[in-house]
Amino acid sequence: MPSIENRLWRFHGVAPTAWLAFVYLYLPIVILVVLSFNANKVATLWTGFSFDWYLRVLENDNILRATRNSLVVATGATVVSTFFATLAALAMASGPFRGKGVMNAMLGLPLLVPEIVTAVASLLFFLALGLELGLTTVLIAHIVFCLPFAYLPIRARLEGLDPRLAEAAADLYASRWQAFRRVTLPLILPGVVSGAMLAFIVSLDDFVITFFVAGAGATTLPVYIFGLIRMGITPEVNAISALLLMVSIAFVVLSYRVGRRPS
Amino acid sequence: MNGHAYSIEIDQVSKRFGHGSEATLALDTVSLNIRTNEFFTLLGPSGCGKTTLLRMIAGFEEPTSGDIRLDGVSLTGRLPFQRPVNTVFQSYALFPHLTVEENVAFGLEMLGRDRAAVREAVTRMLALVKLSDYARRRPHQLSGGQQQRVALARALAPHPKVLLLDESLSALDLKLRKDMQVELKRLQRETGITFVFVTHDQEEALTMSDRIAVMGGGKLQQVGSPEEIYDRPVNRFVADFIGETSFLTAEARGSALEFGAAGRLAEGALGTTAQGPVALAARPERLRLSEDGGLTGVVSEVVYRGADTLYLVTLADGQNCRVRHTNRLGARERAVTGDRVRIAAEPGAFQLLTGEAGHA
Ligand SMILES: Nc1ncnc2c1ncn2[C@@H]1O[C@H](COP(=O)(O)OP(=O)(O)OP(=O)(O)O)[C@@H](O)[C@H]1O
Ligand SMILES: [Mg+2]
């Protein structure tokens, strides 16, 4: 439907600018994926097509161990942080209480703190407690920084929820738990799922904090890739990155589909 | 059934919101008794505390003081899901993720009824509100009127002792609204459930209710049948809120009412035997323009309204009075602006208002 409004919004040069932006954003990624199929050992020199590097990645014990660490940490951090984020969002929606505004701000604040600060602080904290650095410290740190990512979508969803619905459930003989299970939870589920997926991606992808608090043997995939790069860019690195990219895309698509579910 | 005459007793209930200087007294020592299977209406202007009272019966709010009893048992401390009371919310509050039939089944399932019983009740309820063909739809696929009927079916399905309806018809167009009024009365008769209905529409209240409680400023103003409320309002607030009213002051002497320079009405124009200065209310249709009327005045305005015509008359003593005549086919206007007229009153046309001094 061509209306006056969208004609007013039409400017010259929007299309070329958009194309330029897309090229800028995605060309490097396309090149990375293409080069991951390069037969040559020098990553930047194309000589022919091959799956070799992918096979090598799948045979490399270090990479597999790092991948396992990453998945364990991301899964654990997602489950725990989403659980607490849901509780926090429910508490914030339960009505006015003292310090609610401050609490809400504090829940979102970690998003604004520079990651390096969180990393150093976490490291100092673990050392002060005398905890040995390892997968556990990584997991704890991830749970903490994933929390606001999981919290925000759930909170947004709850904010859009009519408080009369919970009252209607209670009016129709649902106990508090039943009202939550049958009415509130199904309605905020898209928020919970997208919060969880955000948390998972953020955890899987984290380098700075992990690098600081991971001890020996707790290497995650991003930390391992960083180690490899220091010895030069190989097609192997391209292959791992391409695999990570696939996981990310899968999550984005899933998250998009869940988000589009009617409320 | 137990032998209690009253379904709901509201005993000296007050409700205060907030603290200190921001506190509002939403309800001020309200006492009310609602009979079993009565169609009881709470009527009053916006902000008078109708919803607050309803929410306290449902259990969403607790009274600040006073007690609410259901069949003689105090409801204090009982949570909403522990009260055999269901609400039809003003905004419907249908569960958006459930189908129509799942919405209607919700209460029964929470009560732990077996599947067959739930199915049977849902089918019956949907037939009752004429939505059998819409069982599988989601609320957002229904019109406002259909959603409202789902809300009604959902609240009725568990067969509560009391059904609370908060301005449940206000969102409907006139035609649908009239249909639903009839429908609600039928449901109330057939189910034996006590209906507590909130509205600020006086006509709706008068046509549907067994009894009406008029509320104003958080206080109960008058409780009575529609006829009592309309014909014998106890104070200026009720007389003013319901129907059209002329407010006049006069001197009651013997059985006559004296209006100073405007004249006097002999014999029984006032329903009571009060003496001295009195504050009065009169419905325009209880007065008439008549050659043999006892009051004199000048017509200041004539308002034609289809079924009837309203004459605004300035009495000889300066007070204003309204007189209404039903229009007959082919009949001439009784008076035009500026005419000198005389006004007569039916016996009992003047209602004494209490709590007010007569002459200013
Ligand atoms: N949760 C609350 N907090 C503070 N004040 C409230 C609250 N609920 C109601 N009030 C106040 O109590 C008074 C009565 O409100 P209530 O909703 O009962 O009015 P109502 O008669 O239902 O009006 P309406 O016809 O507009 O729905 C109002 O002054 C309102 O502002
Ligand atoms: Mg209200």
Side-chain angles (χ1 to χ4, degrees), chain B residues 255-269:
Chain B
S255 62
L257 281 173
E258 299 192 350
F259 287 82
R264 68 195 291 271
L265 293 169
E267 297 304 306

Side-chain angles (χ1 to χ4, degrees), chain B residues 52-276:
Chain B
T52 304
L53 187 55
L54 222 54
R55 288 174 61 79
M56 287 195 292
I57 299 173
F60 303 129
E61 310 273 2
E62 281 288 333
T64 308
S65 66
D67 194 20
I68 297 176
R69 288 184 290 277
L70 179 70
D71 291 340
V73 182
S74 172
L75 289 174
T76 305
R78 282 220 259 163
L79 293 167
F81 54 87
Q82 297 163 328
R83 302 180 183 207
V85 171
N86 286 155
T87 307
V88 181
F89 290 83
Q90 186 164 1
S91 55
Y92 314 142
L94 296 177
F95 304 126
H97 59 302
L98 302 181
T99 62
V100 166
E101 60 184 351
E102 286 166 343
N103 264 282
V104 177
F106 192 91
L108 292 164
E109 282 172 5
M110 291 301 115
L111 285 172
R113 300 289 151 78
D114 65 74
R115 266 166 187 279
V118 173
R119 274 234 61 84
E120 189 271 322
V122 168
T123 310
R124 196 158 37 81
M125 280 301 145
L126 288 180
L128 196 68
V129 297
K130 304 195 177 66
L131 284 174
S132 304
D133 297 340
Y134 297 84
R136 297 272 150 74
R137 295 228 194 155
R138 294 283 173 94
H140 68 90
Q141 295 168 312
L142 301 178
S143 75
Q146 291 166 337
Q147 289 183 22
Q148 203 243 305
R149 284 182 278 158
V150 177
L152 191 63
R154 183 179 71 171
L156 278 171
H159 203 93
K161 287 189 171 151
V162 179
L163 187 73
L164 307 174
L165 302 107
D166 193 352
E167 310 217 6
S168 298
L169 305 184
S170 59
L172 307 182
D173 64 53
L174 195 65
K175 174 82 173 64
L176 197 54
R177 191 177 174 131
K178 298 280 177 213
D179 290 349
M180 283 309 292
Q181 289 178 354
V182 175
E183 199 75 351
L184 278 183
K185 279 300 281 184
R186 181 174 66 83
L187 283 174
Q188 179 243 348
R189 274 194 309 272
E190 287 176 5
T191 56
I193 294 171
T194 306
F195 277 44
V196 183
F197 186 79
V198 160
T199 184
H200 56 238
D201 180 336
Q202 44 144 325
E203 194 197 321
E204 195 167 88
L206 290 172
T207 50
M208 300 179 74
S209 317
D210 293 322
R211 285 194 306 150
I212 299 171
V214 182
M215 296 171 63
K219 288 198 178 74
L220 196 63
Q221 303 290 336
Q222 185 173 1
V223 185
S225 67
E227 295 80 12
E228 281 168 346
I229 298 280
Y230 188 81
D231 289 335
R232 294 190 289 286
V234 295
N235 61 26
R236 179 177 283 260
F237 182 91
V238 176
D240 200 21
F241 188 71
I242 296 173
E244 274 180 294
T245 311
S246 303
F247 293 103
L248 299 164
T249 57
E251 187 91 14
R253 200 160 290 159
S255 62
L257 281 173
E258 299 192 350
F259 287 82
R264 68 195 291 271
L265 293 169
E267 297 304 306
L270 180 63
T272 68
T273 57
Q275 295 295 305

Side-chain angles (χ1 to χ4, degrees), chain A residues 82-144:
Chain A
T82 305
F83 177 75
F84 283 113
T86 307
L87 290 187
L90 285 171
M92 296 303 291
S94 71
F97 58 86
R98 272 185 59 174
K100 179 171 170 170
V102 177
M103 192 91 97
N104 198 30
M106 295 225 334
L107 276 162
L109 199 64
L111 293 174
L112 301 177
V113 174
E115 214 186 332
I116 187 75
V117 174
T118 312
V120 175
S122 300
L123 176 63
L124 288 177
F125 180 70
F126 291 138
L127 293 179
L129 284 184
L131 282 180
E132 195 178 326
L133 296 184
L135 219 49
T136 316
T137 50
V138 174
L139 181 62
I140 293 171
H142 278 227
I143 288 170
V144 172

Side-chain angles (χ1 to χ4, degrees), chain B residues 337-359:
Chain B
T337 307
D339 280 2
R340 294 188 62 81
V341 290
R342 299 185 78 85
I343 297 174
E346 283 178 21
F350 284 92
Q351 193 57 37
L352 183 73
L353 300 177
T354 54
E356 283 180 64
H359 289 296

